[in-house]
Amino acid sequence: MTETGYRVHRTLTVRVELARQLRRRRTWIALGLVIALPLIVVAAVKLGPQQRGFGDGDLDLVGLATAGPWNFTLTMLLFSSGFLLTILAAMFLGDAVASEASWSTLRYLLAAPVPRRRLLRAKVIVGLILTLLTLLVLVVASLLIGWIAFGGSALTSPLGGTFSTADSWLRLGVVAGYIGLMLLIPAGIAFLASVLTDVPLGAVGAAVVLVIVLNIVEALEALGDLRQLLPGHYTDAWTAALVDPISWNDMAIGGAYAVVFFAIMVAAATLRFDRKDITS
Amino acid sequence: MRAFIGALVLGLFVALAPTTAAQAAQSLIIEGAATSADDPTPVLLDADLYLPQQTPAPAIVLAHGFGGSKQSVAEDAQWWADQGYAVLAYTARGFGESTGTISMNSPQFEVADAQRILDDLAGRPEVVIDSSGDPRAAVAGGSYGGALALLLAGYDDRVDAVASDITWADLESALLPQFGVGEPTPGVYKSLWTSFFFASGLGFTPGAPVTECGRFSPDWCAAYLDVATKGTVSPDVAQLMRASSPVTVADQITAPVMLGGGEADSLFPLSQTNLNAEAITSAPLKVVWHAGGHDGGVNENERLRDLTAAWFDAHLRGGPAVANTFEVSLTTGSALNSRDAGSVEVLTAQTYPGLFGDAQTDLALAGPPQQVLAPAGGEPAAITALPGAGGLGALAGDRLGVPVPGQTAAFITEPLPTGQRIIGSSRVQITVSADRPLTDAILYAALRVVGADGRQTLPQGLVSPIRIGQLGPDPVTLDVILPTIVAQAAAGERLAVTVSTTDFGFRNATEPAVYTVQAGPTVAVPSVTGAVGSVSMPAWLWPVGALVVTLLIWAAIALLRPRYHDPVSPEPVAPLAVSNLVKEFRGGLRAVNDASFDIPAGTVVGLLGPNGAGKTTTMRVAMGLIAPTSGDVRIFGEVTHPGSAVLSRVGCFVEGPGFLPHLSGRRNLDLFWRASGRTGDPQLGEVLEIAGLGSAVDRRVRTYSQGMRQRLGIAQAMLGMPDLLVLDEPMNGLDPPQIREMRDVLKAYAAAGRTVIVSSHLLSEVEQTCSHVVVMNRGTVVYSGTVEHLLAGRSGLRLEDVFLELVGEGHGVER
């Protein structure tokens, strides 16, 4: 009988899981999409017929989009946070466990043996890293493209005032960070779905459908104050980072909600996965 | 998931259902005061009484706005009744079904009517009585009803609490304002709003004859016609207006008052609210400046109703005390849509600071003396607010208030070094002269915010009219109180004091003139110190709370970790021992039914059985992939469960290969080894040789044939040469030379003291490869032992024949 040198803490490390996921085509498509978005918008502004409506100086975020790289990036974040980033976050987390089940690799990893909670840990961390990476690539690409296309003017707030360059970085950082936190909501739903089903698209789809349903419920005025209880009620609270001084209240509530919501979803996924019969 | 959504929806409905439903309203006719000075017949007031479930209860008298009726407060009345109050909503005289004429809340008539209503309530068994003839009652209303509430409380000390919103303090200064300090009053006639106001009291109905006075009393009709024609107020009219002004009796009020003022109100602006607030000296007072008003603004009705409910609970029912703090709504425009009002935050200050804030900042004004034209006829006039447009005015937002060229002088500050929150009226000194002698020079002063791009906004669309009685070429200097606003100027923006000659909403001067205007040298801008946002919980507590909750969840999850207590390994230790294994799937399918067998070390063992015999299920339990219903599987003496460390001594290939399709075969094996947590030598070279993939090993697995994947899967199971190899149908997809090779590999593998379990349906293969077999059928073991023993005494029979015999009907276990 031989000693195998098995060490639990060496099973499915984050680094190995990253190596397993990074080469996937969907990872590259996701990153390509968030680079394409600012390119398409710039092309439309520069080459399209001159029509008012975008970057026309209206006193809102989209109206100021062409004011400089920070404004442009904020507009790109606004455009993508509602749908594109939500779907990508749902994809990175929703596909995490379900895709292993669909490739039949899940049973080999678990029999290796990778302890179940360790597998989930690697999946959550890598899913979040990829989501964050996508957000970062969007921000960096938009800043660069915005800078080249519209020059280097500092951030102009639709709510009045122009910030210093240092302040522009700070405000953009706060907005991007908050949008990142908000992505925990679709990510959490998707991760739970990923553990419940063996169909990767089913998990992603379930998360996206649920987020859309939440948005619809959010739009029901009849629910009044009850809407404050919904995840996603504070999705747009980052606009408070554009006033002087930053008004943290809604962002604090929204961020806290998203973190706790994500923790609950991951906890539910963990409890389910602990005892699930792996039949894929 | 479905259950979760169901629970959520159910929860919403439960939360929406009113907790204590009130009874339906009952209609009443209440006799009011005399119809007029000449006609002592009482007017008949059309009223509705809403009773709560529990009576007797404190009462609330609801007074409606101008042009409304008891119907316009029906929804509120129902809500208050649901909160446990007896509510009397009535139509004021001169409106709706009530008889009589409109006297603008005259003490003789409308106020006396309300006193009759208090009398009526005192006689009702459903209402709590303080003393005989004195009901426990509050009075609430907005606009016209708000003035009535204050007047009633001033004239009748039976009132126990007041909620009055967006109303006037002094009718004359509300409709003919003068913001030039020390200049003659009345000021400039607010013609547009006043005419709207009057028209809504005429009560036109289609088909009925059109009359000059509608349902106004003759006195008030005459007063209006006089003011509207002349643009000023005669002593008689002034007398009439004073009688209907709450400010005259406000010092008599002893009942606690919650006083609301609308920031978006050019009819009864915050300066009127302030007059009332300053006059109420003998009663507890809470002042609220909210984002609504007669111009629309942001609807805060729900918040105001909650505030009022707390106020009434505290003062009518002994509820929790409400601090007499000053609350002011800060409206932030939406960054996402310039047409949206955006969000409202509330600033709370300990005391009411009055019109000029609790601190003023003096900002230097730049700009030379400027000439402005008062056009002949007062046209074209600048449009600032749109009376009666409601939300429409708010929608137009900054598109209103654009100065007319040549009519506006502007005096601008330096860019603000930091953001400035303006709450209240700014003060500035202006010096004016005219190019000719004039009586009644009319000017409009305002404070504007100038963006970095030069764009001007006029906060709340408010201007301060000034009437200078006598003006000529000699300059006159006067102090001006600028509009009471709540606004935010960002760092880098500038403020401007503007002085214009026309405004669409007022009776402008018709005589042409050219004025020379100078403002400054400074403007005093007010601010209020207070806490913004949710007062109960500072923002930093949220992330801290989230962290604590997350850690608690983490701890709970750690506590709920599945725990397995492995009994001490029995001796001798078999590589694989199955004992009394039962696995029942959901739906009652029993895949394995009390199976037991041992595998001896150093052998190649065949696991045989028809489809559904339970072979794969047994293997999955052995790998810790599924939990047994009862019984257990031991590997080298240890019971297996998810993540058992002993599984690191097992290589397995179950139900086909599984690889990452986007990576090469070599990369797959490399990453699998690194994911497996083993530190020894994977012996990748030897294993790849067994797979025999040649150069294809560096291609993506997606491109592999079924057989190639099969071989790569077996190779993966052999990585690191584990002590126990479990292979499910390894020969599938292999061609005969490869099968032969594999047979030798497996024999050699076991020869080194390791154990191999092969499940197969190729019986001849098993016969040639294995020394032992385990035969399963319908979840039970029907034979476990050497092939030799199985075939003993059955000369001429092959394994296949014996197997068929074993799994055929009616055969018991043979040993």
Side-chain angles (χ1 to χ4, degrees), chain B residues 5 30 150 221 252 303 355 506 576 622 648 654 683 700:
Chain B
I5 295 171
I30 296 175
L150 291 172
C221 183
Q252 302 296 312
R303 174 176 154 249
L355 219 47
F506 293 86
L576 182 80
S648 67
V654 182
Q683 296 176 304
R700 289 179 182 197

Side-chain angles (χ1 to χ4, degrees), chain B residues 148-230:
Chain B
L148 177 95
L150 291 172
L151 285 160
L152 179 63
Y155 281 104
D156 197 323
D157 59 10
R158 288 180 294 172
V159 174
D160 297 301
V162 181
S164 167
D165 194 22
I166 53 167
T167 193
W168 68 86
D170 174 61
L171 208 47
E172 185 187 293
S173 70
L175 300 182
L176 293 98
Q178 166 66 287
F179 287 98
V181 179
E183 292 302 316
T185 55
V188 185
Y189 175 46
K190 199 183 279 180
S191 52
L192 198 55
W193 254 127
T194 310
S195 58
F196 267 112
F197 199 77
F198 186 78
S200 65
L202 288 176
F204 286 125
T205 45
V210 173
T211 58
E212 198 174 55
C213 290
R215 295 183 69 181
F216 278 92
S217 73
D219 286 356
W220 275 97
C221 183
Y224 171 73
L225 296 179
D226 191 48
V227 173
T229 325
K230 298 183 183 138

Side-chain angles (χ1 to χ4, degrees), chain B residues 58-120:
Chain B
I60 293 176
V61 178
L62 286 187
H64 60 79
F66 208 72
S69 72
K70 67 176 188 181
Q71 293 307 326
S72 30
V73 293
E75 198 184 314
D76 272 340
Q78 189 63 54
W79 187 84
W80 283 110
D82 289 341
Q83 308 304 307
Y85 290 99
V87 183
L88 197 131
Y90 76 102
T91 304
R93 64 164 66 198
F95 293 98
E97 305 292 314
S98 291
T99 62
T101 56
I102 304 167
S103 291
M104 295 299 293
N105 289 335
S106 150
Q108 256 182 293
F109 303 113
E110 278 89 348
V111 177
D113 288 345
Q115 289 179 296
R116 297 293 92 74
I117 283 172
L118 291 179
D119 297 343
D120 178 271

